[in-house]
Amino acid sequence: FDGKVPNADPETAARPERAGAWAGAAGLDELRRGVERAYESTRCDHALERIWEGVGEEAKSGLMQANKYIEETQPFKLVKEDKDAVGRILYSLLESCRWYAWFIAPVMPGIANKIFEQLGIESAGELARGWNLALTWGGLKPGHELGEPAPLFPRIGE
């Protein structure tokens, strides 16, 4: 998509392309509430656990489930057959990365800033929006120029 956020309808991309491990925007909203509760109780370890594993009965909202969504949908193969579907999948994953950056910002601000940068978002401006305003689905605009990808956690010695 030429280094840009795919031109997908955010509302359509809010729902998973295929039923399975990941719950899309609804799952992220549920995760937001779980992460808020963990931070309010000053249990950063619980917040990070929720971000990684998800919340709810089916736990379809965490980073592990987003990764499974990539495995299930195989966008790099699907692009040969259905570029529009891949646009929706990649939009939903990029927007999710924006949410995950917000979720980890209180305990890993440097990593959150790197995620924002790779999404082509100026960190200070994004963070100035505040938790409640920023954590609404569709904050990442289609056609927005993405930043340079780089490992968030480089291997020791690199």
Side-chain angles (χ1 to χ4, degrees), residues 1-7 76 79 83 86-87 90 94 118-119 142-149:
F1 292 89
D2 297 321
K4 296 180 181 175
V5 174
N7 191 19
F76 299 103
V79 74
K83 190 173 180 178
V86 172
L90 293 181
L94 289 166
Q118 290 185 32
L119 292 172
H144 174 81
E145 187 89 20
L146 296 169
E148 279 298 312

Short mmCIF file of all heavy atoms in Angstrom, two decimals, residues 1-7 76 79 83 86-87 90 94 118-119 142-149:
data_model
loop_
_atom_site.label_atom_id
_atom_site.label_comp_id
_atom_site.label_asym_id
_atom_site.label_seq_id
_atom_site.Cartn_x
_atom_site.Cartn_y
_atom_site.Cartn_z
N PHE A 1 0.82 -1.20 0.00
CA PHE A 1 0.00 0.00 0.00
C PHE A 1 0.87 1.26 0.00
O PHE A 1 0.45 2.29 0.53
CB PHE A 1 -0.98 -0.02 1.18
CG PHE A 1 -2.02 -1.10 1.03
CD1 PHE A 1 -1.80 -2.39 1.50
CD2 PHE A 1 -3.22 -0.85 0.37
CE1 PHE A 1 -2.74 -3.39 1.33
CE2 PHE A 1 -4.17 -1.85 0.20
CZ PHE A 1 -3.93 -3.12 0.69
N ASP A 2 2.05 1.14 -0.58
CA ASP A 2 2.95 2.27 -0.80
C ASP A 2 3.33 3.00 0.47
O ASP A 2 3.45 4.24 0.47
CB ASP A 2 2.36 3.25 -1.82
CG ASP A 2 2.18 2.61 -3.19
OD1 ASP A 2 3.07 1.83 -3.58
OD2 ASP A 2 1.16 2.90 -3.85
N GLY A 3 3.48 2.28 1.58
CA GLY A 3 3.90 2.91 2.83
C GLY A 3 2.84 3.77 3.48
O GLY A 3 3.15 4.65 4.28
N LYS A 4 1.58 3.52 3.13
CA LYS A 4 0.47 4.31 3.68
C LYS A 4 -0.56 3.39 4.32
O LYS A 4 -0.64 2.21 4.00
CB LYS A 4 -0.19 5.13 2.58
CG LYS A 4 0.73 6.17 1.98
CD LYS A 4 0.04 6.94 0.90
CE LYS A 4 1.05 7.95 0.33
NZ LYS A 4 0.51 8.67 -0.79
N VAL A 5 -1.35 3.97 5.21
CA VAL A 5 -2.47 3.25 5.80
C VAL A 5 -3.42 2.92 4.65
O VAL A 5 -3.76 3.81 3.86
CB VAL A 5 -3.18 4.10 6.87
CG1 VAL A 5 -4.43 3.40 7.39
CG2 VAL A 5 -2.22 4.43 8.01
N PRO A 6 -3.83 1.66 4.53
CA PRO A 6 -4.74 1.30 3.42
C PRO A 6 -6.01 2.15 3.42
O PRO A 6 -6.51 2.55 4.47
CB PRO A 6 -5.07 -0.17 3.69
CG PRO A 6 -3.91 -0.67 4.48
CD PRO A 6 -3.48 0.50 5.33
N ASN A 7 -6.51 2.40 2.23
CA ASN A 7 -7.73 3.18 2.06
C ASN A 7 -8.94 2.27 2.29
O ASN A 7 -9.66 1.91 1.37
CB ASN A 7 -7.77 3.81 0.66
CG ASN A 7 -8.87 4.82 0.53
OD1 ASN A 7 -9.37 5.33 1.53
ND2 ASN A 7 -9.25 5.13 -0.68
N PHE A 76 -0.47 -11.56 3.27
CA PHE A 76 0.55 -11.47 2.22
C PHE A 76 0.32 -12.51 1.11
O PHE A 76 0.86 -12.37 0.02
CB PHE A 76 1.95 -11.58 2.83
CG PHE A 76 2.19 -10.43 3.79
CD1 PHE A 76 2.11 -10.62 5.16
CD2 PHE A 76 2.40 -9.16 3.31
CE1 PHE A 76 2.29 -9.55 6.03
CE2 PHE A 76 2.58 -8.08 4.17
CZ PHE A 76 2.52 -8.29 5.54
N VAL A 79 -3.40 -11.04 -0.69
CA VAL A 79 -3.33 -9.84 -1.53
C VAL A 79 -3.41 -10.17 -3.02
O VAL A 79 -3.88 -9.36 -3.81
CB VAL A 79 -2.06 -9.01 -1.19
CG1 VAL A 79 -0.80 -9.66 -1.73
CG2 VAL A 79 -2.21 -7.58 -1.69
N LYS A 83 -7.33 -7.67 -2.73
CA LYS A 83 -6.58 -6.54 -2.18
C LYS A 83 -7.44 -5.71 -1.22
O LYS A 83 -6.93 -5.18 -0.23
CB LYS A 83 -6.03 -5.67 -3.31
CG LYS A 83 -5.05 -4.64 -2.82
CD LYS A 83 -4.38 -3.91 -3.97
CE LYS A 83 -3.39 -2.89 -3.43
NZ LYS A 83 -2.67 -2.19 -4.46
N VAL A 86 -7.42 -7.35 2.16
CA VAL A 86 -6.11 -7.13 2.79
C VAL A 86 -6.03 -5.70 3.33
O VAL A 86 -5.51 -5.47 4.42
CB VAL A 86 -4.96 -7.43 1.81
CG1 VAL A 86 -3.62 -7.01 2.39
CG2 VAL A 86 -4.95 -8.91 1.48
N GLY A 87 -6.58 -4.75 2.61
CA GLY A 87 -6.61 -3.37 3.10
C GLY A 87 -7.36 -3.25 4.41
O GLY A 87 -6.91 -2.57 5.34
N LEU A 90 -5.17 -5.01 7.17
CA LEU A 90 -4.01 -4.22 7.57
C LEU A 90 -4.44 -2.93 8.28
O LEU A 90 -3.80 -2.51 9.24
CB LEU A 90 -3.13 -3.91 6.37
CG LEU A 90 -2.43 -5.12 5.76
CD1 LEU A 90 -1.56 -4.70 4.58
CD2 LEU A 90 -1.61 -5.88 6.79
N LEU A 94 -3.08 -2.05 11.97
CA LEU A 94 -2.37 -0.79 12.22
C LEU A 94 -3.09 0.04 13.28
O LEU A 94 -2.46 0.58 14.19
CB LEU A 94 -2.22 0.01 10.92
CG LEU A 94 -1.25 -0.57 9.90
CD1 LEU A 94 -1.45 0.10 8.53
CD2 LEU A 94 0.19 -0.43 10.37
N GLN A 118 6.45 4.75 14.09
CA GLN A 118 6.34 3.83 12.96
C GLN A 118 4.97 3.93 12.29
O GLN A 118 4.83 3.60 11.12
CB GLN A 118 6.64 2.40 13.41
CG GLN A 118 8.11 2.22 13.75
CD GLN A 118 8.47 0.80 14.08
OE1 GLN A 118 7.89 -0.14 13.55
NE2 GLN A 118 9.44 0.64 14.96
N LEU A 119 3.98 4.39 13.05
CA LEU A 119 2.66 4.64 12.47
C LEU A 119 2.59 6.01 11.81
O LEU A 119 1.55 6.38 11.26
CB LEU A 119 1.58 4.52 13.55
CG LEU A 119 1.34 3.12 14.10
CD1 LEU A 119 0.38 3.17 15.29
CD2 LEU A 119 0.84 2.17 13.03
N PRO A 142 -7.12 6.62 6.82
CA PRO A 142 -6.71 5.98 5.58
C PRO A 142 -5.89 6.95 4.72
O PRO A 142 -6.19 8.14 4.65
CB PRO A 142 -8.03 5.62 4.90
CG PRO A 142 -9.00 5.47 6.04
CD PRO A 142 -8.56 6.53 7.03
N GLY A 143 -4.83 6.43 4.12
CA GLY A 143 -3.96 7.23 3.28
C GLY A 143 -2.83 7.92 4.03
O GLY A 143 -1.94 8.50 3.43
N HIS A 144 -2.86 7.84 5.36
CA HIS A 144 -1.84 8.45 6.20
C HIS A 144 -0.48 7.79 5.95
O HIS A 144 -0.39 6.57 5.87
CB HIS A 144 -2.24 8.31 7.68
CG HIS A 144 -1.23 8.78 8.65
ND1 HIS A 144 -1.07 10.10 8.98
CD2 HIS A 144 -0.32 8.09 9.38
CE1 HIS A 144 -0.10 10.20 9.86
NE2 HIS A 144 0.37 9.01 10.13
N GLU A 145 0.56 8.59 5.79
CA GLU A 145 1.92 8.09 5.54
C GLU A 145 2.47 7.43 6.80
O GLU A 145 2.47 8.02 7.88
CB GLU A 145 2.82 9.27 5.15
CG GLU A 145 4.19 8.88 4.71
CD GLU A 145 4.27 8.59 3.22
OE1 GLU A 145 3.39 9.05 2.45
OE2 GLU A 145 5.20 7.89 2.83
N LEU A 146 2.94 6.19 6.65
CA LEU A 146 3.52 5.46 7.77
C LEU A 146 5.00 5.80 7.92
O LEU A 146 5.65 6.19 6.94
CB LEU A 146 3.36 3.95 7.56
CG LEU A 146 1.92 3.45 7.55
CD1 LEU A 146 1.85 2.01 7.06
CD2 LEU A 146 1.28 3.59 8.92
N GLY A 147 5.52 5.62 9.12
CA GLY A 147 6.94 5.82 9.37
C GLY A 147 7.75 4.60 8.95
O GLY A 147 7.21 3.61 8.43
N GLU A 148 9.04 4.66 9.18
CA GLU A 148 9.94 3.56 8.84
C GLU A 148 9.78 2.41 9.83
O GLU A 148 9.87 2.63 11.04
CB GLU A 148 11.39 4.04 8.86
CG GLU A 148 11.81 4.75 7.61
CD GLU A 148 11.73 3.88 6.36
OE1 GLU A 148 12.21 2.73 6.38
OE2 GLU A 148 11.18 4.36 5.36
N PRO A 149 9.58 1.19 9.36
CA PRO A 149 9.50 0.05 10.28
C PRO A 149 10.88 -0.28 10.83
O PRO A 149 11.89 -0.16 10.13
CB PRO A 149 8.96 -1.08 9.41
CG PRO A 149 9.29 -0.69 8.01
CD PRO A 149 9.35 0.81 7.98
#
